[in-house]
Amino acid sequence: MTTSPEPRSPRRSGPGHPARRDRHGRGLRGRLVPATVPLARTKAEIFDDLVLDTVEGLERRYAKELAGVEFAVEDVPPELNVYDSDVLEDGEVPLARLLPGRPGRQELPPRIVLYRRPLEFRAMDREDLADLVHDVIIEQVANLLGVDPDELS
C-alpha cells in the first residue's frame, strides 16, 4: 500500500513560526561578511593599504624630501607605444611611473604612479605583493631624489 505524502501547510513567519530564507529557497540575501571585517576588502583596497604602509614609512624618515610628492594608483598603465625613462618596466609592461614636478606658472608636484594590475600579476601571494610594492616605491623615490635605492631601504 502506498501512502501519499501529506500536503504541506503554508509557512508563516512571525511569533512561533521560523522565518523563511526567501521566496525561492536561494538562501539569505545581502552580504555574507560585514563591511567592517577584513574579508570584505577588495583587491584594490588591499593594494592601496600596501602602498600607504610603504609611503608612510618613507615619509616618517624623509618628511622634508617627500613633502610635495603625490603617490597615486591606477589599475593599468595607459596605452603608449614608447615609454620614457621615467617608467619602471618589467619586460615591456610598465609597473610604475615617475612624473617629475613642473615648476612655473602651472606648478605640478612630483607624482609617483603605481599600476596595480601588473604588480598583482607578478606577485605569488599578498606577502610577495607587499615586497614588490615596497621595492617599486623605493626605486621610484630613489630616482626622484637622485639617490641609490639601497640608501632608502
Side-chain angles (χ1 to χ4, degrees), residues 36-47:
T36 57
V37 176
L39 291 175
R41 299 187 55 78
T42 64
K43 285 184 177 184
E45 291 171 333
I46 292 169
F47 188 88

Side-chain angles (χ1 to χ4, degrees), residues 43-101:
K43 285 184 177 184
E45 291 171 333
I46 292 169
F47 188 88
D48 290 346
D49 288 345
L50 295 174
V51 172
L52 283 174
D53 289 345
T54 300
V55 170
E56 287 172 352
L58 284 171
E59 284 179 339
R60 279 193 296 272
R61 294 186 310 197
Y62 303 99
K64 182 180 162 191
E65 293 88 344
L66 298 176
V69 179
E70 293 180 354
F71 293 85
V73 174
E74 292 182 13
D75 281 345
V76 293
E79 292 186 34
L80 299 174
N81 292 339
V82 178
Y83 290 101
D84 295 331
S85 62
D86 61 349
V87 175
L88 178 64
E89 294 178 300
D90 178 20
E92 296 289 317
V93 180
L95 302 178
R97 184 173 191 172
L98 168 64
L99 302 168

Side-chain angles (χ1 to χ4, degrees), residues 5-6 16 28 52-53 61 85-86 93 99 113 117 131 139 143 153:
E6 293 182 22
L28 299 173
L52 283 174
D53 289 345
R61 294 186 310 197
S85 62
D86 61 349
V93 180
L99 302 168
V113 180
R117 303 282 300 271
D131 291 340
E139 176 111 10
N143 287 341
S153 296

